[in-house]
Amino acid sequence: MAVLIDPPVWPWRGRRWSHLVSDVSYDELHAFVATELGIPRRAFQGDHYDVPDELYEVAVAAGAEPVGGRELLARLVGAGLRLKKRRGAVAG
């Protein structure tokens, strides 16, 4: 399993968020999220899930590997699972 999570440093709507990805497959990511975090599939952001700070430790305890944001992105790109941003898309 290679589910990765970056620190909850991304602010949005008064909370801090992490990004959760897999560097193996989207199926692995969806299974982990459904089984371990209970986040609905509709929350999938195309190549990642946004995870609220209160679920960060839950994800790590369940086996997500904590990595920095740059490493997370590099491994996602390296696996060929990173979606290209659309022009005018807002980061998040």
Side-chain angles (χ1 to χ4, degrees):
M1 178 179 288
V3 174
L4 313 170
I5 191 165
D6 65 2
V9 299
W10 307 99
W12 189 63
R13 295 192 176 187
R15 296 166 90 179
R16 298 278 177 186
W17 299 79
S18 295
H19 297 112
L20 186 75
V21 304
S22 169
D23 67 357
V24 173
S25 72
Y26 296 133
D27 289 338
E28 175 188 54
L29 179 61
H30 296 312
F32 180 88
V33 167
T35 303
E36 304 296 341
L37 303 180
I39 296 172
R41 176 104 180 234
R42 68 181 176 274
F44 184 59
Q45 299 291 310
D47 59 8
H48 71 278
Y49 283 89
D50 292 328
V51 176
D53 59 353
E54 64 269 15
L55 289 180
Y56 177 82
E57 292 297 333
V58 174
V60 171
E65 179 183 345
V67 297
R70 289 178 190 221
E71 181 178 348
L72 182 141
L73 181 59
R75 289 175 63 180
L76 188 61
V77 169
L81 297 173
R82 174 69 170 157
L83 290 183
K84 294 182 181 182
K85 285 188 177 182
R86 298 182 312 267
R87 289 182 187 220
V90 177

